[in-house]
Amino acid sequence: VDNNQLAHRLSALVGDAHVLTDPALKASYETDFTGRFTGRSRLVVRPADTEQVAGIVGLCRAEGIPLVPQGGNTGLVGASVPTGTEIVLSLGRLTEIGPVDEAARQVTVGAGVPLAEVQRRVRPYGLAFGVDLAARDSATIGGMIATNAGGERVVRYGTTRANVAGLEAVLPDGSVLSRLTGLPKDNTGYDLTGLLVGSEGTLAVLTRARLRLVPIQPRRVTALLALPSIEQAITALTAVRALESLELAEFFLPEGLSLVMAQTGLPAPFGAEYPVYLLVECAGRQDPTEELAEVLDDADILDMAVAVQASDRHRLAAYRDRHTESINAEGIPLKLDVTLPLDEVAGFVRDLPDLLPKRVRPILFGHLAEGNLHVNLLDVASSDEDAVSETVLRRVAAAGGSISAEHGIGRAKAHYLSLSRSPAEIAAMRAVKAALDPTGILSPGTLLP
Ligand code: 2HG
Ligand code: ZN
């Protein structure tokens, strides 16, 4: 079918207003927010519900038209960006939120609901979704599930996978899988929900999710610690891990802090610059300030800022949270989201500059509790990108790390998958893909090269 016929048939399913063919209207769906990944789509289609999604997928399957599901388009590995032949299937209109089940502590939400909206909706019940991340205003639940997003609270609540109790999804043949009862015990065969979490749009189009919720911990303390080294930051981390109230342990370095201050106008957090910064937050029913101070008593802390009021806490968190936008303001970074065993982190940080061409500026920050480093590289010549990626990712794999901690494989790392997965694992993944999507219409080029 040519584009006109396709647009016409899709309009019959979703209405004219929700089939976008004008290049100006399509543009924001065709580039990721860093500007690194960009491509053309045949058109963008915006269904309103699961039935419409099933209709679109069925049509694409029958006509052999590839499609790329897209949520908030905040992904960082190119998985939601088309390459020319696909249509973009935007889930942004699937925004229904069901009643909050206080007894089960669950809620069912549409794939297109932004994370911040879920939090707003469940807060009056004293509940929260355990996964939180800086892109909360745009990132959608469907996209977070498709990538098994991690974010800043993994140390306490786990990744998205641990916080999803069930899913509804449209398979490539147009059939609908629905598992939304959220039963905490349900051993009836293969865990299809678990399989679809982190499948990056390659196995199904996610349409609704049953989310687990956690009780809000009302008393909070945030501390920004200045430390002499990564080793000392890990020692401090080990100390705060003794606390059940620990909710967040994020690190950043002076290079990143300078960019954030230049971009945001925030004042320096301390009178001097220090080698490493660790942001920790504890939360509980009782004020955790004292227990935090207690466990940090022996740590080698050079300086420290502590905040209890929400506005002060947010000010400290901003030094960490505003890294991504501040790096972007400098240019399009090469982003390598990796994770290392904790005892390998310091060595990696030390070795990294020697692995890079001289002009490259590495900006490192991330989720220290998981050894998850966001390696952002500025000023990488485009002719060097592949070599630099491969060198850094090989170094990570050699240290027993993973080439993707939380952003996924997408298009960016598909060619490096074998650094983190064995031939037997990749063969099993290919077999699953072939069984569910035999003609390969869903997100071609993502995850499995
Ligand atoms: C974060 O932790 C996100 O803020 C983005 O995972 C990381 O920009 C990045 O590299
Ligand atoms: Zn992150």
Side-chain angles (χ1 to χ4, degrees), residues 76 134 152 250 320-321 324 335 365 367 374 376 406-407:
L76 295 169
E152 301 191 339
E250 303 279 308
R320 154 63 179 96
D321 273 2
T324 299
K335 283 182 181 285
F365 64 100
H367 317 285
H374 292 311
N376 278 254
E406 59 173 4
H407 295 170

Side-chain angles (χ1 to χ4, degrees), residues 339-345 347-348 393-402:
T339 178
L340 288 152
L342 282 178
D343 55 5
E344 295 283 346
V345 172
F348 176 84
L393 297 179
R394 275 192 188 284
R395 171 71 176 74
V396 167
S402 167

Side-chain angles (χ1 to χ4, degrees), residues 26-47:
K26 289 192 300 174
S28 68
Y29 298 86
E30 296 177 329
T31 298
D32 80 333
F33 89 112
T34 66
R36 169 164 292 274
F37 296 96
T38 182
R40 287 283 160 73
S41 64
R42 290 183 65 171
L43 50 78
V44 176
V45 60
R46 301 188 306 188

Side-chain angles (χ1 to χ4, degrees), residues 47-67:
D49 57 28
T50 305
E51 201 187 321
Q52 291 185 2
V53 173
I56 295 164
V57 173
L59 193 160
C60 287
R61 171 72 174 270
E63 299 294 343
I65 297 164
L67 53 97

